[in-house]
Amino acid sequence: MTPPPKPPPADGADPTDITATDVMWGLIYTHDRANSNTEEIEDAQATLGALVELLVSRGVITEDDLEAARKVAGDRVRERFVRRGMAVVRQEFDVSKYEWPPGEPIDCDARIHLCKAACCRFLVALSTEDVKEGILRWETHQPYALAKQADGSCVHMEAGTCRCKVYEARPVPCRAYDCRNDHRIWVDFEKRIPNPLIDDPDWPDNVDAVVRREADPAP
């Protein structure tokens, strides 16, 4: 369907006002681009699939080697897209978050002055249930990642107390998370020794960088 032409603005009207016609044209453009991109992706997938079949059939590569390499490359691409805000971040679960089984309790109140609720700075992907519910805010530039404040903490974290202001509606990743064995937060959970890198603005990337250097030290 072709929308009617946009009429000229009425006297005194703001020419920058967005009308229903503007929205319709925008949707048509978006859908046309999405359809074109889908066709190009389908063609690329068909070509790549044919090449893979030829390489496997001729013994150049094995299916196991291909699958292992594909997983590594896929993880690398997804990580790059997420970091650049180019990917839609969403997680789906078999049950409602309100039916998610509770884990072993952690004495957060006694530890929060040490860990400073560092887990509330992780990237959290919301589910369709979260989005439809409309309680949790998500980043418009990176749908559907849980929104963050300027300091990187969750937008729903209360300043000063570090308490969750939407605790009953928190998403599954928050409900399921267990920090006990997370080296990014604790050097020793039982002894209540937090990771000293928590206060670094680059946390948790800085922790992963240290782990990689220790695992593969430069000569």
Side-chain angles (χ1 to χ4, degrees):
M1 178 179 123
T2 302
K6 180 181 178 182
D11 292 342
D14 185 349
T16 63
D17 284 347
I18 297 176
T19 67
T21 302
D22 295 323
V23 174
M24 193 176 300
W25 275 114
L27 288 173
I28 288 175
Y29 172 78
T30 301
H31 295 157
D32 283 346
R33 290 306 311 157
N35 187 56
S36 176
N37 291 343
T38 299
E39 291 178 352
E40 293 176 3
I41 290 172
E42 288 178 347
D43 182 63
Q45 286 181 327
T47 302
L48 182 60
L51 289 172
V52 168
E53 289 178 4
L54 284 173
L55 292 172
V56 172
S57 65
R58 297 181 182 183
V60 178
I61 59 174
T62 68
E63 291 186 1
D64 289 342
D65 289 342
L66 174 64
E67 181 60 25
R70 189 188 68 80
K71 184 179 185 308
V72 172
D75 290 344
R76 188 184 307 122
V77 170
R78 279 189 292 273
E79 180 181 359
R80 185 170 68 250
F81 272 38
V82 169
R83 289 181 181 278
R84 295 174 61 185
M86 297 172 61
V88 172
V89 183
R90 192 170 67 223
Q91 296 185 81
E92 301 300 345
F93 305 92
D94 295 333
V95 299
S96 165
K97 63 183 179 181
Y98 297 107
E99 299 174 5
W100 192 265
E104 186 176 345
I106 296 176
D107 54 340
C108 293
D109 287 342
R111 295 173 177 271
I112 208 163
H113 67 288
L114 298 171
C115 68
K116 302 173 184 177
C119 60
C120 294
R121 291 158 59 189
F122 288 141
L123 174 68
V124 174
L126 301 184
S127 67
T128 299
E129 178 185 37
D130 294 320
V131 176
K132 286 183 176 180
E133 189 177 47
I135 296 175
L136 303 174
R137 291 170 54 188
W138 47 272
E139 300 286 6
T140 54
H141 67 277
Q142 189 178 18
Y144 295 93
L146 189 60
K148 294 184 177 182
Q149 303 180 64
D151 64 357
S153 60
C154 174
V155 72
H156 297 293
M157 189 176 77
E158 187 176 68
T161 67
C162 295
R163 294 183 181 278
C164 179
K165 295 186 289 187
V166 291
Y167 188 78
E168 294 301 322
R170 69 196 187 283
V172 167
C174 298
R175 296 168 186 263
Y177 177 67
D178 190 325
C179 69
R180 270 177 275 255
N181 296 312
D182 194 332
H183 69 277
R184 295 171 296 180
I185 295 180
W186 299 106
V187 171
D188 192 313
F189 178 84
E190 296 300 333
K191 295 180 179 179
R192 301 192 178 189
I193 303 175
N195 192 312
L197 297 175
I198 280 180
D199 293 323
D200 191 302
D202 292 329
W203 185 92
D205 292 341
N206 56 0
V207 179
D208 293 333
V210 169
V211 171
R212 287 194 296 270
R213 285 199 300 270
E214 291 177 349
D216 186 20

